[in-house]
Amino acid sequence: MPPHPDHPTLTVLDHPLIQHKLAIMRDRETATKNFRQLVGEIAMLMTYEVTRELATESVTIETPLERMTANRVAGKKLVLVPILRAGLGMVDGILQLVPSARVGHIGLYRDHETLEPVSYYFKVPEASDARDVFLLDPMLATGGSAAAAVAKLKAVGATRIRFLCLVAAPEGVRGFAAKHPDVPIYAAALDRQLNDHGYILPGLGDAGDRLFGTR
């Protein structure tokens, strides 16, 4: 998929199944159970597209009939790093596709006075410098939390980072790219704008609340 014409670091995955499921997710009448299932399904479909760039290596195997050369994903196992709490909703769907992936976690919250992200939890697998890392968060709004999470990952040596979200705002894409122009962004949709409270329009509401039934 080519990058977005207005945002060189952004790729919008416009597969019909992704767009169909996202449309159902956006509906305010969609129940928590269905919303949660759809987040996982869209994350899995997005991963199918994003993992096209993973390196492979040739190996010799024995089929029931003969020996052959086949391709397997090369290097250390993929690492999934959800930003708590909403990013957790994307993990299970991706693990269905890549069950051997390792899972780290980043906990961030926004300080109400400074509006800056504050880290309260960080744990990722060792040797992150030798792994492909997928940072996960359903929403890219202002981009502050995602940018802070990438900075934490880079601080422990991660270099092959991709950011996956379901819905992005132009403001968030620009802010994120300004701080991390080397990190590609993959989204199911690029929405119109942020409102005065930092919510994406048209968006899908608060992803964490809708995932966990706390709305």
Side-chain angles (χ1 to χ4, degrees), residues 56-133:
T56 60
E57 60 185 359
S58 297
V59 296
T60 300
I61 63 172
E62 296 280 352
T63 79
L65 299 177
E66 64 181 28
R67 177 175 295 185
M68 68 166 288
T69 300
N71 291 322
R72 289 181 179 173
V73 174
K76 292 184 177 292
K77 291 180 172 61
L78 176 70
V79 174
L80 312 178
V81 183
I83 298 177
L84 304 177
R85 63 181 169 148
L88 289 171
M90 301 174 69
V91 173
D92 285 347
I94 299 176
L95 286 176
Q96 290 185 48
L97 194 63
V98 193
S100 62
R102 305 287 180 87
V103 181
H105 296 88
I106 295 180
L108 296 166
Y109 70 90
R110 181 178 297 182
D111 185 282
H112 291 296
E113 294 184 1
T114 66
L115 300 182
E116 293 296 319
V118 178
S119 173
Y120 65 88
Y121 188 80
F122 181 82
K123 189 172 182 63
V124 297
E126 295 180 357
S128 292
D129 58 328
R131 301 179 188 274
D132 288 278
V133 178

Side-chain angles (χ1 to χ4, degrees), residues 9 150 154 159 161 177 179-184:
T9 64
V150 170
K154 288 182 174 179
T159 58
I161 306 170
K179 294 182 178 179
H180 302 289
D182 57 322
V183 177

